[in-house]
Amino acid sequence: MFGQFNKLSIGLFDSGVGGLSVWKEALKLLPGHRFLYFADTEYAPYGPRPEYEVVQRALAISRFLISKGAGVVVVACNTATSAAISTLRETFNIPFIGMEPAVKPAASLTRTGVIGVLATKGTLGGSKYHLSLNKYASDIKVVEQVGEGLVGMVESGITYGKEIEDLVGRYVSPMLENNADYIVLGCTHYPFLKEVIEKVAGTGVTLIDPAPAVARQIFRRVREMDMISQVSGTKVRGVDYYRSCYNDTMFYSSGDTKVLSDLARSIVPGISDSFFESVDI
Ligand code: DGL
């Protein structure tokens, strides 16, 4: 069934497993499409790396995904989007879709006039984020926090437990003390910590995950490219719906595939080992 109406595949990449939070949402809207996911496990985390290194990795991974047939590439990583998306767009002749720091919705929804932004050092230091702040958040207070160590924990498969609660507690406390009512998850790894962050932050705080909005953007772009399939129009939901599409995603990693496969299977159960491959790029 797959492939008969799709000319191009949708590539996604992240420093590791975080971009699966975007894949999960994109899959809901485009279940008939072939996805190629690349986790740069060997080089994660990107946050503390110098920008030029992240740009080099983004170029190598994009080249790889295009060689595998990607006709559009989603930079499913805030840090890589901030560092590399302009270079990628200048270098390759296909569309690139990046992450948007979700400052805009948080700033428009806040009732206390205070929002928290949890992201990597690379994202908070980047011009894309600062442009968003100037545009949408000039009249509210923004409490920023680098989520140091959180990406590493998710990459080790740790998404709950005391250790991570303590770390999240340290990062969220200054936001709560300032009366923030919305927290932007400015890194694609953080939706996997949603339950812990919600528990620590309490009921008065709403988390904003940009992945569904980015997935809508992917859908629009793919539709423009006339790649949309008849299958995407069907209204099937739940596990069966995911099962019906999982077998057309290929997962690559520059390192070990263990956590990648565990997390992908927590989204779509039963993906067979043959869909996971370690590659040396
Ligand atoms: N998921 C990446 C992001 O959105 C993680 C960055 C990192 O590897 O530090 O920023």
Side-chain angles (χ1 to χ4, degrees):
M1 173 170 67
F2 298 111
Q4 67 188 13
F5 34 71
N6 299 337
K7 294 178 217 74
L8 301 169
S9 304
I10 302 166
L12 299 102
F13 77 89
D14 176 49
S15 63
V17 293
L20 291 176
S21 62
V22 180
W23 169 72
K24 177 184 175 183
E25 297 301 324
L27 204 56
K28 289 180 190 170
L29 301 181
L30 293 157
H33 281 271
R34 179 164 174 78
F35 290 88
L36 304 165
Y37 185 89
F38 192 99
D40 203 10
T41 314
E42 192 64 18
Y43 292 81
Y46 280 172
R49 288 187 184 276
E51 197 171 281
Y52 72 87
E53 270 184 32
V54 178
V55 173
Q56 289 314 307
R57 291 308 298 158
L59 286 167
I61 295 164
S62 300
R63 206 166 285 124
F64 173 81
L65 290 170
I66 292 166
S67 78
K68 292 287 176 189
V72 53
V73 171
V74 181
V75 186
C77 172
N78 295 71
T79 313
T81 299
S82 178
I85 198 137
S86 331
T87 309
L88 294 173
R89 285 178 176 146
E90 282 159 20
T91 308
F92 300 103
N93 195 19
I94 62 160
F96 281 82
I97 296 167
M99 298 303 296
E100 274 299 322
V103 170
K104 184 182 175 186
S108 68
L109 290 165
T110 178
R111 288 175 305 275
T112 61
V114 185
I115 65 166
V117 179
L118 189 60
T120 68
K121 190 174 157 213
T123 297
L124 294 177
S127 55
K128 197 171 164 73
Y129 170 68
H130 285 277
L131 282 173
S132 279
L133 278 189
N134 291 341
K135 200 163 169 194
Y136 305 114
S138 53
D139 56 348
I140 60 158
K141 183 167 180 175
V142 180
V143 183
E144 296 168 355
Q145 178 65 53
V146 174
E148 187 134 14
L150 295 178
V151 168
M153 284 201 174
V154 177
E155 287 297 314
S156 312
I158 304 167
T159 53
Y160 60 89
K162 178 150 172 33
E163 197 186 353
I164 204 144
E165 276 179 30
D166 289 348
L167 203 53
V168 166
R170 267 194 9 228
Y171 298 153
V172 167
S173 293
M175 300 176 187
L176 301 180
E177 279 156 20
N178 279 282
N179 206 19
D181 56 353
Y182 283 84
I183 296 178
V184 174
L185 303 181
C187 166
T188 54
H189 281 72
Y190 301 164
F192 293 108
L193 303 174
K194 202 166 172 240
E195 278 171 29
V196 172
I197 302 172
E198 272 170 355
K199 181 176 169 192
V200 171
T203 49
V205 175
T206 305
L207 306 185
I208 302 213
D209 171 10
V214 172
R216 289 194 293 277
Q217 171 65 9
I218 299 168
F219 178 82
R220 281 192 293 270
R221 193 69 217 222
V222 168
R223 188 173 49 185
E224 270 167 28
M225 294 170 79
D226 200 26
M227 287 162 62
I228 200 157
S229 71
Q230 294 138 8
V231 178
S232 324
T234 59
K235 286 194 169 46
V236 198
R237 290 288 180 269
V239 170
D240 285 344
Y241 146 76
Y242 279 119
R243 275 213 180 103
S244 72
C245 45
Y246 79 80
N247 61 350
D248 216 27
T249 298
M250 188 67 206
F251 300 88
Y252 302 97
S253 165
S254 56
D256 193 84
T257 57
K258 167 86 177 78
V259 176
L260 178 63
S261 54
D262 285 351
L263 216 52
R265 286 174 183 141
S266 77
I267 296 167
V268 178
I271 309 173
S272 98
D273 285 347
S274 60
F275 289 91
F276 298 91
E277 198 182 306
S278 282
V279 288
D280 188 15
I281 64 161

